[in-house]
Amino acid sequence: MIGWNPKVLVGAVATLVTAALVLGLLAAALSGGSGGGESPDGAGQRTADAPGPSALQPLPEDHPVHGLARRDAGDPLAMGDPDAPVVMLTYADFQSALAARFARETEPELISAYVDAGVLRIEFRNFPVNGPESDLAARAAWAAGQQDRFWEFYRAAYAEDTHLGSGRFSRENVLAMAEDAGVPDLQRFETDMDAEAAADAVAADADEALLLGISAVPTFLVNGHPLIGNRPLEEFRSHIDQLAGAASE
């Protein structure tokens, strides 16, 4: 099911994941602490109620989960100030209806309130857990990013909810999405999408998610604190406000 290449392991990530604190953090959340995420096969959703975040404890500066944020100014799959006090890592599949709703309904509010203000940086990670169309969509998104059109492709891909294996992310359709996203060189886009570099980049993201123990999409790490599923906007705001405040102390 998962569109990743087992030969690709990122050394830095493997080192980070040896820390039990990282695995424990996500294991606690995935065992029912946050709820609301889709299972990897897309067959069901976690719907357990969970309290909103309160009194988040900032993780120590040397906590290994902080090393997952790349903070690369040239990363086409990221937006926001590389030095923003809060970094949100988004692990998502383009066939996830919850991820699509987050992208349409919640994320624009976060961009307006926090990314544009220099408080929040968002870094996207491809985690194609729902089969071949998810893998093709992930490679297509990466290829769009090579021409600085990742976020335009992202919005086109998430413009509507998707039924698994519906054909929405067929080769013909992802090429049409790339055109709609304003990708300037479609021939290069297609070549990049099929290149080993695209497969390796997607595999590296998926390896990171798997090694962290992530099993639901979308999953978000906000300065290392997990939120799972398309949680209410106020939960994201509460996390960001608390963590940004702690960073300024």
Side-chain angles (χ1 to χ4, degrees):
M1 292 289 288
I2 294 174
W4 59 289
N5 183 346
K7 74 178 183 178
V8 178
L9 283 175
V10 181
V13 173
T15 300
L16 292 170
V17 179
T18 59
L21 287 173
V22 178
L23 291 172
L25 179 70
L26 287 170
L30 292 168
S31 67
S34 293
E38 291 171 332
S39 59
D41 61 6
Q45 296 183 358
R46 291 181 171 83
T47 57
D49 292 332
S54 60
L56 287 174
Q57 296 300 313
L59 298 171
E61 290 185 6
D62 61 350
H63 194 291
V65 78
H66 292 311
L68 295 172
R70 296 166 186 165
R71 293 186 179 273
D72 178 0
D75 183 355
L77 276 64
M79 69 167 74
D81 187 342
D83 296 321
V86 181
V87 179
M88 182 171 75
L89 309 184
T90 301
Y91 298 86
D93 182 309
F94 282 104
Q95 289 196 97
S96 164
L98 291 180
R101 290 170 203 161
F102 167 81
R104 293 196 305 266
E105 301 167 6
T106 306
E107 191 171 42
E109 298 291 334
L110 300 180
I111 292 170
S112 176
Y114 298 105
V115 175
D116 291 347
V119 173
L120 176 68
R121 176 174 173 82
I122 299 174
E123 297 187 2
F124 184 85
R125 304 286 194 267
N126 276 301
F127 191 30
V129 296
N130 288 316
E133 283 193 50
S134 294
D135 179 64
L136 181 59
R139 290 187 284 109
W142 181 88
Q146 301 313 293
Q147 298 185 58
D148 296 321
R149 290 294 186 275
F150 169 77
W151 290 106
E152 290 81 2
F153 183 93
Y154 171 97
R155 285 188 282 274
Y158 280 140
E160 60 187 64
D161 292 349
T162 302
H163 298 292
L164 302 186
S166 67
R168 175 166 167 75
F169 293 105
S170 67
R171 190 176 190 87
E172 179 182 2
N173 285 342
V174 297
L175 284 167
M177 286 179 194
E179 185 172 12
D180 289 344
V183 174
D185 186 339
L186 292 177
Q187 184 174 0
R188 177 191 167 190
F189 167 81
E190 196 165 6
T191 298
D192 286 344
M193 181 173 64
D194 294 335
E196 186 174 355
D200 287 351
V202 171
D205 284 355
D207 284 341
E208 182 176 303
L210 290 167
L211 287 168
L212 286 169
I214 292 173
S215 62
V217 291
T219 288
F220 308 90
L221 292 183
V222 187
N223 275 14
H225 295 271
L227 283 171
I228 301 168
N230 182 21
R231 310 301 296 168
L233 174 63
E234 289 310 310
E235 289 194 31
F236 285 94
R237 284 184 174 275
S238 181
H239 270 75
I240 296 165
D241 288 343
Q242 291 184 60
L243 294 167
S248 67
E249 293 177 355

